[in-house]
Amino acid sequence: MTDLTTTLPAGLQLREAILALIQRHGRWRVMRSALFARPRPRADGPGVLSDHLRRDIGLPEHGPVAPSLRHLVP
């Protein structure tokens, strides 16, 4: 679910935001959207990235570095 405390303008309460949505879009559309909204899992930050993505953006890797296979190339 979206954290409304960070997306609402200062001083606007949740009740007023919902009432504004109802006034703008109608009661049934707001109710339908609320009922069918699917919560999405939040990303936990850089810890969920794979090592190659972490390396691409300049973060340290978590796992061991794969051994080099350069000795096999003539």
Side-chain angles (χ1 to χ4, degrees):
M1 183 169 208
T2 305
D3 183 14
L4 294 175
T5 58
T6 59
T7 58
L8 292 175
L12 186 63
Q13 299 296 322
L14 180 60
R15 178 180 171 85
E16 285 126 8
I18 292 173
L19 289 175
L21 284 171
I22 290 172
Q23 187 173 16
R24 183 173 182 183
H25 300 287
R27 181 184 321 158
W28 298 114
R29 284 189 179 183
V30 173
M31 287 293 291
R32 189 176 129 229
S33 296
L35 289 173
F36 290 107
R38 292 186 212 130
R40 295 181 205 126
R42 291 175 46 157
D44 293 332
V48 297
L49 298 175
S50 64
D51 282 341
H52 73 277
L53 288 175
R54 293 177 62 82
R55 186 173 48 244
D56 287 348
I57 61 174
L59 295 173
E61 298 176 16
H62 282 283
V65 178
S68 174
L69 300 176
R70 292 188 82 84
H71 66 283
L72 298 176
V73 178

